Amino acid sequence: MFVNHLHDTEPRWFAVHTRAKCEKFVQRALAKKNIHAYVPLLRLLRRYVRSTRLIEKPIISGYVFVKITKHEYLPVLETENAVGFVRFDKDLLAI
């Protein structure tokens, strides 16, 4: 028996695995599809020989968190550089 926490009307949080270093790209692509996506970012000050830059790196690399309902499941999977949902065995569990 498989467990699926997707709901028809109530949006729930799920973790989506992405390709390496594509978290912000996937977040922007999902925003264009009007899907609520979140990437926790850490701001770092990097010093180079001739300059200093403020960069944003994902705290949890390789993952984007989405708040979706059942009808938004397939558009998330069809997003470029999104590999798939995080599952436990074959169960799709909400966070």
Side-chain angles (χ1 to χ4, degrees):
M1 176 94 180
F2 302 117
V3 177
N4 186 349
H5 282 187
L6 283 169
H7 195 266
D8 290 330
T9 57
E10 179 188 341
R12 295 181 178 166
W13 286 100
F14 295 92
V16 177
H17 186 63
T18 66
R19 294 180 70 194
K21 299 182 180 182
C22 293
E23 301 88 358
K24 291 193 273 184
F25 178 86
V26 171
Q27 180 186 19
R28 285 191 301 270
L30 290 170
K32 288 179 184 175
K33 295 180 180 184
N34 293 323
I35 295 173
H36 183 65
Y38 176 68
V39 176
L41 297 172
L42 179 65
R43 290 181 177 214
L44 300 170
L45 193 63
R46 293 287 169 140
R47 294 178 190 207
Y48 300 100
V49 175
R50 295 186 178 175
S51 67
T52 302
R53 292 185 183 168
L54 183 66
I55 63 165
E56 292 181 330
K57 288 186 69 169
I59 294 174
I60 305 170
S61 60
Y63 295 95
V64 173
F65 301 96
V66 294
K67 189 172 185 179
I68 60 168
T69 57
K70 189 179 255 184
H71 75 276
E72 294 170 320
Y73 175 78
L74 197 55
V76 171
L77 284 178
E78 292 172 341
T79 304
E80 187 179 354
N81 295 321
V83 176
F85 282 86
V86 174
R87 296 176 178 269
F88 299 96
D89 290 326
K90 294 186 179 179
D91 301 334
L92 181 61
L93 302 177
I95 298 174

XYZ file of all heavy atoms in Angstrom:
798
model
N 0.847 -1.182 0.000
C 0.000 0.000 0.000
C 0.893 1.245 0.000
O 1.777 1.395 0.818
C -0.883 -0.035 1.253
C -1.739 1.163 1.417
S -3.330 0.843 0.713
C -4.133 2.348 1.028
N 0.649 2.146 -0.938
C 1.425 3.371 -1.052
C 0.693 4.521 -0.368
O -0.517 4.624 -0.425
C 1.673 3.729 -2.516
C 2.388 2.656 -3.277
C 1.788 2.013 -4.334
C 3.665 2.284 -2.913
C 2.452 1.026 -5.030
C 4.337 1.293 -3.601
C 3.723 0.663 -4.657
N 1.475 5.405 0.249
C 0.917 6.585 0.908
C 1.202 7.792 0.027
O 2.320 7.982 -0.439
C 1.554 6.773 2.308
C 1.032 8.037 2.962
C 1.300 5.568 3.175
N 0.188 8.616 -0.191
C 0.324 9.810 -1.004
C -0.324 10.965 -0.246
O -1.524 10.968 -0.036
C -0.351 9.594 -2.356
C -0.132 10.739 -3.302
O 0.346 11.795 -2.922
N -0.503 10.550 -4.550
N 0.456 11.945 0.163
C -0.060 13.067 0.941
C -0.544 14.233 0.087
O -0.860 15.284 0.643
C 1.005 13.562 1.916
C 1.142 12.688 3.124
N 1.940 13.033 4.172
C 0.598 11.500 3.452
C 1.881 12.092 5.098
N 1.076 11.146 4.677
N -0.592 14.077 -1.228
C -1.132 15.147 -2.071
C -2.625 15.289 -1.806
O -3.340 14.296 -1.690
C -0.908 14.840 -3.547
C 0.499 15.078 -4.075
C 0.643 14.488 -5.455
C 0.818 16.541 -4.090
N -3.087 16.517 -1.704
C -4.498 16.779 -1.435
C -5.081 17.590 -2.585
O -4.378 18.358 -3.236
C -4.630 17.543 -0.107
C -6.004 17.555 0.432
N -6.889 18.571 0.176
C -6.663 16.671 1.222
C -8.039 18.319 0.783
N -7.923 17.163 1.425
N -6.381 17.432 -2.839
C -7.023 18.126 -3.951
C -7.095 19.640 -3.752
O -6.898 20.405 -4.700
C -8.441 17.595 -4.172
C -8.433 16.182 -4.731
O -7.476 15.831 -5.444
O -9.387 15.433 -4.454
N -7.373 20.096 -2.535
C -7.566 21.531 -2.318
C -6.570 22.145 -1.335
O -6.271 23.327 -1.436
C -8.988 21.805 -1.791
O -9.184 21.048 -0.591
C -10.032 21.427 -2.827
N -6.064 21.391 -0.396
C -5.157 21.921 0.619
C -3.710 21.812 0.163
O -3.194 20.717 -0.019
C -5.331 21.156 1.929
C -4.416 21.610 3.027
C -4.494 20.695 4.245
O -5.464 19.946 4.389
O -3.535 20.738 5.036
N -3.004 22.954 -0.035
C -1.590 22.871 -0.443
C -0.719 22.369 0.705
O -0.919 22.748 1.861
C -1.232 24.297 -0.830
C -2.322 25.152 -0.340
C -3.487 24.312 0.022
N 0.232 21.517 0.370
C 1.156 20.966 1.362
C 2.581 21.089 0.841
O 2.822 21.151 -0.358
C 0.822 19.503 1.629
C -0.552 19.338 2.263
C -0.867 17.922 2.551
N -2.174 17.837 3.201
C -2.833 16.728 3.342
N -2.351 15.592 2.893
N -4.016 16.733 3.943
N 3.541 21.095 1.781
C 4.958 21.239 1.436
C 5.572 19.894 1.077
O 5.380 18.901 1.782
C 5.730 21.832 2.607
C 5.479 23.288 2.811
C 4.641 23.854 3.717
C 6.070 24.364 2.088
N 4.682 25.217 3.605
C 5.555 25.560 2.613
C 6.989 24.426 1.042
C 5.924 26.799 2.141
C 7.357 25.673 0.568
C 6.831 26.837 1.112
N 6.351 19.900 -0.014
C 7.099 18.726 -0.450
C 8.509 19.163 -0.846
O 8.721 20.313 -1.223
C 6.424 18.056 -1.661
C 5.077 17.476 -1.349
C 3.927 18.214 -1.531
C 4.967 16.182 -0.863
C 2.689 17.691 -1.237
C 3.740 15.642 -0.567
C 2.592 16.401 -0.749
N 9.449 18.239 -0.781
C 10.829 18.516 -1.197
C 11.032 17.944 -2.599
O 10.627 16.817 -2.887
C 11.814 17.884 -0.225
N 11.662 18.731 -3.454
C 11.955 18.318 -4.829
C 13.468 18.304 -5.006
O 14.148 19.288 -4.695
C 11.306 19.278 -5.854
C 11.669 18.883 -7.271
C 9.804 19.316 -5.669
N 13.985 17.195 -5.495
C 15.417 17.070 -5.756
C 15.721 17.724 -7.106
O 14.981 17.540 -8.066
C 15.809 15.594 -5.769
C 17.269 15.362 -5.895
N 18.177 15.773 -4.946
C 17.994 14.770 -6.858
C 19.380 15.435 -5.327
N 19.298 14.832 -6.498
N 16.821 18.504 -7.168
C 17.198 19.189 -8.409
C 18.579 18.726 -8.869
O 19.300 18.076 -8.124
C 17.250 20.717 -8.200
O 18.305 21.024 -7.293
C 15.941 21.254 -7.678
N 18.916 19.086 -10.085
C 20.274 18.843 -10.561
C 21.227 19.744 -9.782
O 20.818 20.723 -9.176
C 20.369 19.146 -12.051
C 19.526 18.171 -12.875
C 19.620 18.459 -14.334
N 20.967 18.099 -14.782
C 21.478 18.460 -15.939
N 20.774 19.190 -16.769
N 22.685 18.097 -16.283
N 22.495 19.417 -9.827
C 23.503 20.155 -9.060
C 23.528 21.632 -9.458
O 23.539 21.972 -10.645
C 24.874 19.536 -9.279
N 23.523 22.493 -8.464
C 23.628 23.949 -8.621
C 22.509 24.564 -9.465
O 22.701 25.575 -10.128
C 24.991 24.328 -9.192
C 26.130 23.893 -8.288
C 27.464 24.319 -8.827
C 28.568 23.862 -7.890
N 29.876 24.269 -8.326
N 21.323 23.965 -9.443
C 20.186 24.477 -10.219
C 19.009 24.870 -9.328
O 17.893 25.040 -9.823
C 19.728 23.428 -11.228
S 20.917 23.107 -12.526
N 19.222 25.030 -8.039
C 18.118 25.302 -7.122
C 17.407 26.616 -7.436
O 16.178 26.656 -7.531
C 18.632 25.350 -5.667
C 19.289 24.088 -5.204
C 20.784 24.024 -5.494
O 21.323 24.969 -6.110
O 21.410 23.026 -5.115
N 18.182 27.690 -7.629
C 17.571 28.993 -7.908
C 16.924 29.010 -9.294
O 15.889 29.651 -9.482
C 18.608 30.105 -7.766
C 19.040 30.314 -6.319
C 19.814 31.603 -6.120
C 21.275 31.394 -6.392
N 22.078 32.601 -6.118
N 17.499 28.296 -10.245
C 16.911 28.195 -11.586
C 15.541 27.519 -11.510
O 14.568 27.987 -12.115
C 17.848 27.403 -12.505
C 17.310 27.202 -13.887
C 17.509 28.151 -14.865
C 16.584 26.066 -14.209
C 17.003 27.973 -16.144
C 16.075 25.876 -15.476
C 16.283 26.834 -16.450
N 15.449 26.416 -10.773
C 14.183 25.694 -10.632
C 13.168 26.566 -9.899
O 11.991 26.603 -10.270
C 14.402 24.345 -9.907
C 13.082 23.687 -9.562
C 15.243 23.407 -10.762
N 13.597 27.288 -8.888
C 12.691 28.165 -8.150
C 12.092 29.233 -9.066
O 10.891 29.491 -9.025
C 13.414 28.829 -6.984
C 12.519 29.750 -6.177
C 13.267 30.526 -5.119
O 14.490 30.666 -5.182
N 12.554 31.035 -4.156
N 12.921 29.842 -9.916
C 12.418 30.859 -10.851
C 11.464 30.240 -11.879
O 10.452 30.842 -12.224
C 13.578 31.548 -11.556
C 14.329 32.533 -10.682
C 15.306 33.389 -11.474
N 16.305 32.601 -12.179
C 17.488 32.246 -11.674
N 17.817 32.636 -10.450
N 18.336 31.530 -12.371
N 11.785 29.041 -12.365
C 10.923 28.369 -13.342
C 9.567 28.026 -12.722
O 8.523 28.155 -13.377
C 11.603 27.108 -13.869
N 9.571 27.605 -11.474
C 8.305 27.295 -10.799
C 7.506 28.564 -10.526
O 6.274 28.554 -10.603
C 8.571 26.538 -9.498
C 9.073 25.105 -9.674
C 9.539 24.541 -8.341
C 8.006 24.222 -10.280
N 8.175 29.656 -10.217
C 7.482 30.931 -9.992
C 6.774 31.391 -11.264
O 5.684 31.954 -11.199
C 8.461 31.988 -9.516
N 7.387 31.138 -12.425
C 6.742 31.483 -13.697
C 5.479 30.661 -13.920
O 4.568 31.091 -14.619
C 7.704 31.263 -14.864
C 8.809 32.289 -14.918
C 9.747 32.021 -16.068
C 10.906 32.999 -16.064
N 11.903 32.688 -17.094
N 5.413 29.473 -13.325
C 4.229 28.603 -13.420
C 3.246 28.869 -12.278
O 2.288 28.130 -12.102
C 4.652 27.132 -13.368
C 5.493 26.680 -14.527
C 5.853 25.209 -14.373
C 6.707 24.723 -15.523
N 6.986 23.296 -15.433
N 3.489 29.924 -11.492
C 2.665 30.292 -10.334
C 2.597 29.177 -9.293
O 1.553 28.925 -8.700
C 1.258 30.713 -10.771
C 1.273 31.996 -11.543
O 2.043 32.899 -11.239
N 0.442 32.076 -12.564
N 3.718 28.516 -9.073
C 3.832 27.485 -8.048
C 4.740 28.028 -6.959
O 5.838 28.510 -7.234
C 4.397 26.179 -8.638
C 3.411 25.603 -9.660
C 4.684 25.163 -7.539
C 3.925 24.414 -10.426
N 4.275 27.957 -5.719
C 5.031 28.495 -4.585
C 6.230 27.592 -4.303
O 6.072 26.430 -3.937
C 4.125 28.586 -3.363
C 4.791 29.201 -2.176
N 5.195 30.519 -2.171
C 5.142 28.701 -0.988
C 5.753 30.789 -1.005
N 5.740 29.689 -0.262
N 7.432 28.125 -4.499
C 8.675 27.381 -4.272
C 9.577 28.185 -3.348
O 9.589 29.416 -3.384
C 9.379 27.111 -5.593
N 10.345 27.465 -2.533
C 11.210 28.113 -1.556
C 12.578 27.435 -1.539
O 12.663 26.205 -1.493
C 10.571 28.034 -0.164
C 11.424 28.588 0.942
C 11.700 29.946 1.025
C 11.975 27.753 1.895
C 12.485 30.459 2.041
C 12.761 28.250 2.926
C 13.009 29.607 2.988
O 13.790 30.107 3.989
N 13.621 28.253 -1.593
C 15.002 27.781 -1.457
C 15.626 28.586 -0.326
O 15.810 29.799 -0.464
C 15.816 27.978 -2.756
C 17.262 27.568 -2.550
C 15.201 27.215 -3.900
N 15.939 27.954 0.807
C 16.587 28.703 1.888
C 18.009 29.082 1.477
O 18.801 28.230 1.089
C 16.582 27.725 3.067
C 16.369 26.388 2.479
C 15.682 26.573 1.161
N 18.319 30.379 1.535
C 19.606 30.884 1.060
C 20.431 31.466 2.201
O 19.898 32.012 3.161
C 19.396 31.963 -0.004
C 18.699 31.528 -1.278
C 18.392 32.731 -2.151
C 19.538 30.529 -2.036
N 21.733 31.351 2.056
C 22.688 31.915 2.995
C 23.494 32.970 2.254
O 24.067 32.691 1.202
C 23.607 30.810 3.526
C 24.696 31.211 4.506
C 24.069 31.716 5.802
C 25.582 30.015 4.798
N 23.538 34.183 2.801
C 24.307 35.263 2.167
C 25.738 35.222 2.693
O 25.957 35.228 3.895
C 23.689 36.616 2.470
C 22.390 36.824 1.771
C 21.838 38.179 2.086
N 20.608 38.367 1.332
C 20.220 39.521 0.860
N 20.929 40.606 1.068
N 19.103 39.621 0.189
N 26.677 35.194 1.765
C 28.090 35.135 2.108
C 28.841 36.264 1.431
O 28.532 36.634 0.296
C 28.700 33.803 1.666
C 28.104 32.535 2.272
C 28.639 31.322 1.552
C 28.461 32.476 3.737
N 29.826 36.783 2.109
C 30.684 37.814 1.543
C 31.960 37.127 1.060
O 32.704 36.571 1.856
C 31.010 38.877 2.593
C 31.630 40.158 2.091
C 30.673 40.887 1.160
C 31.987 41.045 3.267
N 32.181 37.133 -0.241
C 33.362 36.495 -0.830
C 34.369 37.557 -1.207
O 34.027 38.535 -1.865
C 32.985 35.682 -2.076
C 32.132 34.496 -1.792
C 32.962 33.431 -1.120
N 32.096 32.390 -0.620
C 32.366 31.120 -0.686
N 33.493 30.712 -1.208
N 31.526 30.235 -0.196
N 35.598 37.336 -0.818
C 36.663 38.289 -1.136
C 37.571 37.686 -2.191
O 38.071 36.575 -2.039
C 37.456 38.621 0.109
C 36.613 39.349 1.100
C 37.353 39.652 2.346
N 36.377 40.148 3.308
C 36.666 40.951 4.282
N 37.892 41.357 4.474
N 35.721 41.351 5.099
N 37.756 38.447 -3.239
C 38.644 38.065 -4.319
C 39.814 39.047 -4.335
O 39.833 40.006 -3.573
C 37.889 38.067 -5.652
C 36.712 37.102 -5.652
C 35.413 37.559 -5.447
C 36.908 35.741 -5.832
C 34.337 36.691 -5.431
C 35.838 34.866 -5.825
C 34.560 35.345 -5.628
O 33.503 34.474 -5.600
N 40.758 38.832 -5.216
C 41.956 39.677 -5.256
C 41.590 41.144 -5.474
O 42.088 42.019 -4.784
C 42.921 39.178 -6.362
C 44.102 40.115 -6.490
C 43.382 37.769 -6.050
N 40.693 41.399 -6.422
C 40.381 42.789 -6.760
C 38.983 43.244 -6.359
O 38.629 44.397 -6.603
C 40.557 42.990 -8.260
C 41.987 42.822 -8.674
C 42.177 43.168 -10.098
N 43.598 43.029 -10.427
C 44.084 43.168 -11.609
N 43.277 43.455 -12.609
N 45.370 43.029 -11.836
N 38.195 42.371 -5.794
C 36.833 42.779 -5.441
C 36.285 41.933 -4.293
O 36.846 40.900 -3.940
C 35.915 42.653 -6.654
O 35.771 41.297 -7.002
N 35.181 42.405 -3.774
C 34.436 41.691 -2.748
C 33.004 41.585 -3.232
O 32.420 42.576 -3.683
C 34.484 42.454 -1.411
O 35.848 42.621 -1.038
C 33.759 41.715 -0.328
N 32.421 40.379 -3.169
C 31.069 40.179 -3.666
C 30.200 39.512 -2.616
O 30.669 38.680 -1.855
C 31.081 39.295 -4.912
C 31.702 39.947 -6.096
C 31.562 39.076 -7.302
N 32.241 39.700 -8.423
C 32.501 39.088 -9.552
N 32.165 37.833 -9.718
N 33.112 39.720 -10.521
N 28.934 39.881 -2.635
C 27.942 39.248 -1.786
C 27.239 38.187 -2.626
O 26.655 38.503 -3.671
C 26.931 40.282 -1.281
C 25.873 39.771 -0.326
C 26.523 39.339 0.993
C 24.841 40.845 -0.061
N 27.318 36.928 -2.204
C 26.681 35.844 -2.959
C 25.639 35.172 -2.083
O 25.665 35.281 -0.855
C 27.708 34.805 -3.463
C 28.406 34.121 -2.294
C 28.710 35.434 -4.401
C 29.141 32.865 -2.697
N 24.703 34.480 -2.726
C 23.680 33.712 -2.024
C 23.819 32.248 -2.406
O 23.727 31.904 -3.578
C 22.283 34.213 -2.382
C 21.996 35.595 -1.871
C 20.599 36.057 -2.230
O 20.075 35.635 -3.271
O 20.040 36.835 -1.458
N 24.059 31.401 -1.410
C 24.187 29.967 -1.638
C 23.046 29.253 -0.930
O 22.656 29.646 0.170
C 25.518 29.447 -1.076
C 26.726 29.878 -1.868
C 27.965 29.232 -1.347
C 27.901 27.749 -1.673
N 29.164 27.055 -1.431
N 22.513 28.192 -1.533
C 21.462 27.417 -0.860
C 22.009 26.753 0.407
O 23.114 26.222 0.409
C 21.072 26.362 -1.892
C 21.560 26.869 -3.189
C 22.752 27.724 -2.893
N 21.228 26.806 1.473
C 21.625 26.151 2.713
C 21.581 24.641 2.540
O 22.462 23.922 2.987
C 20.713 26.604 3.871
C 20.933 28.087 4.143
C 20.980 25.782 5.130
C 19.989 28.676 5.162
N 20.541 24.156 1.867
C 20.394 22.720 1.587
C 20.567 22.555 0.083
O 19.629 22.762 -0.683
C 19.017 22.211 2.051
C 18.801 22.545 3.521
C 18.906 20.712 1.817
C 17.400 22.308 4.007
N 21.755 22.189 -0.347
C 22.016 22.126 -1.782
C 21.315 20.921 -2.409
O 21.227 19.848 -1.824
C 23.510 22.070 -2.046
O 24.061 20.928 -1.445
N 20.786 21.155 -3.604
C 20.145 20.086 -4.367
C 18.655 19.940 -4.128
O 18.038 19.015 -4.670
N 18.044 20.852 -3.358
C 16.621 20.714 -3.044
C 15.895 22.042 -3.133
O 16.434 23.095 -2.804
C 16.426 20.147 -1.629
C 16.937 18.744 -1.509
C 18.214 18.506 -1.028
C 16.167 17.662 -1.907
C 18.715 17.223 -0.930
C 16.654 16.371 -1.808
C 17.919 16.150 -1.323
O 18.414 14.878 -1.248
N 14.638 21.958 -3.576
C 13.706 23.071 -3.591
C 12.456 22.581 -2.863
O 12.048 21.435 -3.032
C 13.345 23.494 -5.033
C 12.246 24.529 -5.053
C 14.560 24.004 -5.765
N 11.860 23.449 -2.065
C 10.647 23.087 -1.336
C 9.463 23.748 -2.010
O 9.488 24.944 -2.291
C 10.772 23.510 0.125
C 11.943 22.861 0.801
C 13.156 23.520 0.902
C 11.854 21.572 1.290
C 14.255 22.926 1.495
C 12.944 20.958 1.891
C 14.150 21.640 1.988
N 8.422 22.960 -2.298
C 7.241 23.467 -2.995
C 6.001 23.236 -2.150
O 5.896 22.242 -1.435
C 7.067 22.802 -4.383
C 8.186 23.188 -5.320
C 6.961 21.299 -4.280
N 5.076 24.188 -2.241
C 3.783 24.066 -1.556
C 2.738 23.910 -2.648
O 2.406 24.878 -3.338
C 3.517 25.306 -0.703
C 2.322 25.162 0.205
C 2.230 26.335 1.150
C 1.095 26.131 2.133
N 1.000 27.252 3.065
N 2.257 22.668 -2.811
C 1.410 22.368 -3.969
C 0.172 21.557 -3.568
O 0.110 20.962 -2.501
C 2.193 21.566 -5.039
C 2.703 20.237 -4.468
C 3.316 22.388 -5.616
C 3.218 19.285 -5.506
N -0.790 21.549 -4.506
C -1.938 20.662 -4.422
C -1.742 19.561 -5.461
O -0.739 19.537 -6.183
C -3.247 21.424 -4.709
O -3.149 22.036 -5.987
C -3.522 22.474 -3.648
N -2.708 18.676 -5.548
C -2.584 17.511 -6.437
C -2.435 17.913 -7.908
O -1.650 17.319 -8.640
C -3.802 16.600 -6.261
C -3.680 15.276 -6.956
C -4.914 14.442 -6.717
C -4.575 13.372 -5.718
N -5.686 12.444 -5.475
N -3.159 18.942 -8.359
C -3.100 19.307 -9.785
C -1.789 20.002 -10.178
O -1.494 20.158 -11.360
C -4.319 20.145 -10.190
C -4.280 21.563 -9.726
N -4.676 21.946 -8.471
C -3.869 22.684 -10.356
C -4.507 23.250 -8.342
N -4.021 23.732 -9.472
N -0.976 20.431 -9.209
C 0.315 21.064 -9.510
C 1.471 20.071 -9.496
O 2.608 20.431 -9.791
C 0.594 22.172 -8.489
C -0.374 23.328 -8.580
C -0.252 24.290 -7.419
O -0.064 23.833 -6.286
O -0.346 25.501 -7.673
N 1.196 18.819 -9.188
C 2.239 17.789 -9.095
C 2.969 17.590 -10.426
O 4.195 17.631 -10.478
C 1.597 16.472 -8.637
C 2.522 15.295 -8.614
C 3.434 15.118 -7.581
C 2.494 14.341 -9.627
C 4.290 14.031 -7.549
C 3.348 13.249 -9.610
C 4.228 13.098 -8.563
O 5.080 12.023 -8.539
N 2.236 17.388 -11.491
C 2.852 17.136 -12.801
C 3.623 18.337 -13.345
O 4.742 18.159 -13.844
C 1.790 16.670 -13.799
C 2.303 16.002 -15.060
C 3.208 14.818 -14.731
C 1.158 15.552 -15.923
N 3.110 19.584 -13.250
C 3.918 20.721 -13.708
C 5.254 20.850 -12.969
O 6.238 21.300 -13.553
C 3.022 21.932 -13.446
C 1.640 21.397 -13.492
C 1.733 20.008 -12.937
N 5.309 20.461 -11.703
C 6.578 20.507 -10.970
C 7.549 19.488 -11.565
O 8.719 19.785 -11.797
C 6.365 20.239 -9.456
C 7.696 20.063 -8.746
C 5.578 21.365 -8.832
N 7.071 18.289 -11.842
C 7.935 17.252 -12.421
C 8.419 17.618 -13.820
O 9.508 17.217 -14.224
C 7.197 15.913 -12.482
C 7.060 15.156 -11.177
C 6.273 13.873 -11.408
C 8.406 14.842 -10.578
N 7.613 18.368 -14.554
C 7.963 18.754 -15.922
C 8.919 19.945 -15.967
O 9.378 20.322 -17.042
C 6.696 19.087 -16.711
C 5.825 17.882 -16.968
C 4.482 18.231 -17.580
O 4.066 19.414 -17.489
O 3.847 17.340 -18.134
N 9.228 20.524 -14.834
C 10.120 21.677 -14.774
C 11.551 21.255 -15.105
O 12.029 20.231 -14.619
C 10.076 22.325 -13.376
O 8.723 22.656 -13.078
C 10.926 23.574 -13.324
N 12.200 22.055 -15.923
C 13.584 21.771 -16.315
C 14.491 21.766 -15.094
O 14.384 22.620 -14.225
C 14.047 22.824 -17.318
C 15.400 22.553 -17.914
C 15.815 23.612 -18.916
O 15.005 24.501 -19.238
O 16.967 23.550 -19.362
N 15.376 20.788 -15.017
C 16.358 20.581 -13.945
C 15.758 20.088 -12.629
O 16.478 19.950 -11.651
C 17.200 21.836 -13.692
C 18.060 22.178 -14.885
O 18.608 21.309 -15.532
N 18.160 23.455 -15.190
N 14.465 19.821 -12.577
C 13.861 19.187 -11.403
C 13.912 17.681 -11.634
O 13.394 17.174 -12.629
C 12.422 19.648 -11.213
N 14.561 16.961 -10.738
C 14.765 15.518 -10.925
C 13.550 14.730 -10.463
O 13.087 13.832 -11.158
C 16.032 15.055 -10.174
C 16.207 13.560 -10.262
C 17.249 15.782 -10.709
N 13.025 15.044 -9.300
C 11.858 14.335 -8.794
C 11.599 14.673 -7.346
O 12.391 15.345 -6.688
N 10.473 14.186 -6.851
C 10.103 14.430 -5.467
C 10.881 13.500 -4.543
O 11.212 12.375 -4.918
C 8.599 14.199 -5.275
C 7.758 15.329 -5.772
C 7.369 15.386 -7.101
C 7.361 16.340 -4.936
C 6.597 16.423 -7.576
C 6.590 17.392 -5.394
C 6.207 17.434 -6.711
N 11.137 13.974 -3.332
C 11.785 13.144 -2.325
C 10.729 12.184 -1.795
O 9.642 12.597 -1.396
C 12.362 14.009 -1.182
C 12.902 13.148 -0.066
C 13.445 14.920 -1.727
N 11.055 10.906 -1.838
C 10.127 9.867 -1.406
C 10.785 8.991 -0.356
O 12.004 8.890 -0.296
C 9.711 8.991 -2.579
C 8.950 9.729 -3.648
C 8.656 8.807 -4.837
N 7.879 9.493 -5.837
C 6.547 9.492 -5.879
N 5.864 8.835 -4.972
N 5.911 10.143 -6.805
N 9.971 8.351 0.447
C 10.422 7.357 1.410
C 9.864 6.034 0.934
O 8.662 5.820 0.976
C 9.941 7.713 2.818
C 10.473 9.043 3.274
C 9.721 10.198 3.140
C 11.750 9.134 3.811
C 10.224 11.416 3.537
C 12.261 10.370 4.213
C 11.490 11.494 4.070
N 10.749 5.160 0.449
C 10.383 3.974 -0.324
C 9.599 4.472 -1.535
O 10.155 5.164 -2.353
C 9.592 2.968 0.515
C 10.464 2.314 1.572
O 11.662 2.109 1.303
O 9.953 2.017 2.664
N 8.317 4.163 -1.633
C 7.530 4.656 -2.757
C 6.446 5.628 -2.283
O 5.583 6.006 -3.044
C 6.903 3.487 -3.508
C 7.934 2.619 -4.181
C 7.311 1.564 -5.031
C 8.389 0.743 -5.701
N 7.848 -0.322 -6.536
N 6.530 6.045 -1.031
C 5.518 6.919 -0.435
C 5.904 8.385 -0.652
O 7.029 8.780 -0.417
C 5.396 6.667 1.068
C 5.008 5.232 1.383
O 4.375 4.598 0.514
O 5.333 4.759 2.473
N 4.929 9.188 -1.084
C 5.115 10.621 -1.256
C 4.550 11.293 -0.008
O 3.335 11.388 0.155
C 4.419 11.130 -2.507
C 4.559 12.610 -2.824
C 6.026 12.967 -3.032
C 3.760 12.979 -4.035
N 5.439 11.738 0.882
C 5.025 12.294 2.160
C 5.268 13.796 2.192
O 6.282 14.276 1.723
C 5.800 11.637 3.298
C 5.681 10.117 3.397
C 6.549 9.593 4.518
C 4.243 9.707 3.610
N 4.318 14.502 2.784
C 4.453 15.946 2.972
C 5.425 16.213 4.108
O 5.596 15.403 5.008
C 3.110 16.575 3.270
N 6.052 17.372 4.059
C 6.999 17.756 5.116
C 6.223 18.407 6.244
O 5.405 19.253 6.034
C 8.067 18.720 4.552
C 8.852 18.008 3.480
C 8.962 19.244 5.639
C 9.826 18.891 2.755
